[in-house]
Amino acid sequence: MTIRVLLADDQALLRATFRILVESVEDMTVVAEAADGQEAVDLAGTHRPDVVLMDIRMPDVDGVAATAAICARPELSGTRVLVLTTFEDDRNVARALRAGASGFLGKGVSPEVLLSGIRTVAAGDALLSPGATRALITRFLAVPDSDDPVLPEVLKALTDREREVMALAAHGRSNAEIAAELVLSPLTVRSHIQRAMTKLDARDRAQLVVIAYRSGLVKPPAGQDG
């Protein structure tokens, strides 16, 4: 299956570079390019891409607002947003994750890492590693957002095992690692993850991680401030 990608960046040169890279592999194609956030939202509605490669800093409507708009549209429930950052925007990256982004990458990553990241989020998995970067973001995810609070009560819909699996996923464990720790099969772990996502109305694994931190199920690494 070909992964359909929308590029959203206000720098034409970067968009051209990303297009060449994406279209250099057989399993991806670029369906559209956007120079600002509003154009990204409009083109996403038109083309319904599998992945939007979204720059955070864009004029007028920025990448955070565009991510929120895309993720709020029911007809785009199959579209995943992969945020690009310079890591100077860590608080904004956390806002984008809260808004529905499936993960993030630095603009300085290698071509192989970028392509792998697109495949990861297209498959519905979170892209929150490596651990050091995840720790940087989780300290902001754990800060309550007064505009849209996530209360601990939402977790009451989950079984004890689902909460346990969700917490380990939020710590960055893979399904195989969770299975080994809990003495379960990877398929059983995946089923618990899927059920938790359904009960909490999480778009994907990244959103499950966001809810885990914002509800207090998981705390940021020791020594990190909000």
Side-chain angles (χ1 to χ4, degrees):
M1 187 184 81
T2 301
I3 300 172
R4 303 170 72 253
V5 181
L6 187 156
L7 305 175
D9 196 298
D10 63 327
Q11 297 184 50
L13 182 58
L14 274 179
R15 291 200 310 274
T17 301
F18 289 143
R19 175 181 280 274
I20 291 171
L21 175 61
V22 168
E23 297 196 330
S24 71
V25 293
E26 294 183 354
D27 61 334
M28 297 183 197
T29 187
V30 174
V31 296
E33 296 182 22
D36 60 54
Q38 186 57 57
E39 190 176 13
V41 175
D42 294 341
L43 289 173
T46 299
H47 296 278
R48 300 194 182 186
D50 299 304
V51 176
V52 178
L53 205 57
M54 182 79 75
D55 184 25
I56 279 189
R57 290 184 175 178
M58 290 187 289
D60 301 322
V61 177
D62 66 13
V64 175
T67 295
I70 289 171
C71 294
R73 295 176 64 168
E75 70 272 22
L76 295 178
S77 61
T79 296
R80 302 288 179 256
V81 177
L82 177 57
V83 170
L84 294 176
T85 175
T86 59
F87 293 117
E88 296 169 355
D89 299 335
D90 46 0
R91 190 179 296 273
N92 281 333
V93 171
R95 288 175 55 219
L97 290 172
R98 283 172 169 166
S102 295
F104 63 93
L105 282 173
K107 285 190 174 181
V109 299
S110 68
E112 293 76 14
V113 170
L114 179 61
L115 293 174
S116 176
I118 292 173
R119 294 186 183 103
T120 295
V121 297
D125 291 325
L127 192 65
L128 304 178
S129 294
T133 303
R134 185 175 61 248
L136 176 69
I137 298 306
T138 54
R139 61 178 172 161
F140 293 109
L141 292 180
V143 176
D145 186 338
S146 58
D147 294 333
D148 183 24
V150 173
L151 302 175
E153 283 76 10
V154 301
L155 300 178
K156 291 181 179 178
L158 305 183
T159 65
D160 289 343
R161 180 63 89 184
E162 287 164 356
R163 282 194 291 272
E164 188 175 22
V165 169
M166 179 177 170
L168 290 171
H171 280 300
R173 306 281 206 285
S174 67
N175 284 358
E177 290 169 335
I178 296 172
E181 184 164 338
L182 299 181
V183 195
L184 299 171
S185 73
L187 182 60
T188 298
V189 171
R190 184 174 181 83
S191 295
H192 286 309
I193 292 287
Q194 292 292 336
R195 283 198 293 270
M197 286 168 51
T198 298
K199 290 178 179 180
L200 298 177
D201 196 26
R203 286 171 60 90
D204 54 25
R205 195 182 185 102
Q207 294 312 295
L208 204 63
V209 172
V210 171
I211 294 170
Y213 279 98
R214 295 179 64 200
S215 66
L217 178 66
V218 177
K219 301 296 184 184
Q224 302 225 3
D225 301 321

